[in-house]
Amino acid sequence: MQKKILALHDLSGFGRSSLVPIIAVLSAGGHQCVPLPTAVFSTHTAIPGWVTTDLTGAMQGTIDQYDKLGLRFEAIYAGFLGSADQIDCVGEAAKRLKTTDGITLIDPVMGDNGKVYDTYTPEMCTRMRELCAIADIITPNTTEAAILLDRDPNSKPGSADEAWEWLRALRAHYGAEVVLTGLDFAPGRVGSGCLSASGGALSLHRRIDRYYPGTGDLFASAMLSAMLNDVTLEDACELAGEYVKDCIAYTMAQQTDPMHGVQFEKVLPRLIDGTYQRELRDRPLRQE
């Protein structure tokens, strides 16, 4: 049966972030993505002059309707959340709408590049920690991982050994499978590490020195899509990292404004035709 994902994220109209790439990537994987927007933005917030409409008031009613309809989802996937009430709604959705063996994936969007986002107060960071404690998988970047571990947000792993220490600490504290993104301790390489009860891997890819918004959404949705297609966590992270790298490389060659996001649309066929699955068979991972 086709798997359904309830995606609780903001919807940014222009800029290729949040629900726009998430819906596309999950659909390319053969899944049904059911968006539950937390807010609508004209553009992502790195583009000046954005306007927004908060949708918190509609979230609880939507969850109630889906529950009454008997809808159940193989994954509950949450990202940017703008208030404590929205965090409560994610917890409610995971409790009431997830299948018995489903996945709650929390992407704890709280900061990046060593800085906490202006919208995240200490109270919101505390509430996000509570939400991560009920997750099956968490996907923080290094800034968010530091916040989750009560460390300096500007700190990050400086070696493979330190990356493993961070992964173990997150797994011990939150009890979830952990995917730590933004690892850049190796010259010219960037990628992720993952850890579950069965083991883990570090997966580094060629670094392309250009920043684009929305790549974290691309990574997490590609990873989740692969896992719902019975790919292991380690291979799903490797696949997602390669996809994001290819999207960045393609977009950089087009010389478009980085704030317009990556042209993931042109690379979607590789997710559909099995390109990355074939490559996985020949690409060694660093296992723990």
Side-chain angles (χ1 to χ4, degrees), residues 102-166:
I103 296 170
T104 298
L105 190 157
I106 302 299
D107 186 2
V109 182
M110 296 185 287
D112 200 4
N113 299 315
K115 296 181 180 179
V116 181
Y117 294 138
D118 292 340
T119 56
Y120 264 76
T121 63
E123 178 192 3
M124 280 289 288
C125 291
T126 297
R127 295 302 313 281
M128 184 59 79
R129 293 186 187 101
E130 295 171 2
L131 189 59
C132 286
I134 69 166
D136 298 298
I137 305 174
I138 58 174
T139 60
N141 60 33
T142 55
T143 300
E144 292 153 354
I147 297 169
L148 292 175
L149 293 171
D150 265 336
R151 301 180 181 182
D152 180 357
N154 200 38
S155 63
K156 59 182 178 179
S159 67
D161 288 342
E162 289 184 12
W164 284 121
E165 188 275 323
W166 282 54

Side-chain angles (χ1 to χ4, degrees), residues 54-76:
D54 182 89
L55 297 179
T56 305
M59 292 177 68
Q60 187 62 57
T62 302
I63 292 167
D64 291 341
Q65 184 203 18
Y66 290 171
D67 196 9
K68 289 176 182 177
L69 290 172
L71 292 176
R72 296 298 179 264
F73 298 85
E74 281 73 25
I76 307 295

Side-chain angles (χ1 to χ4, degrees), residues 200-214:
L202 300 181
S203 178
L204 301 183
H205 310 264
R206 176 172 60 90
R207 184 186 188 95
I208 301 171
D209 198 17
R210 184 69 61 87
Y211 172 78
Y212 294 92

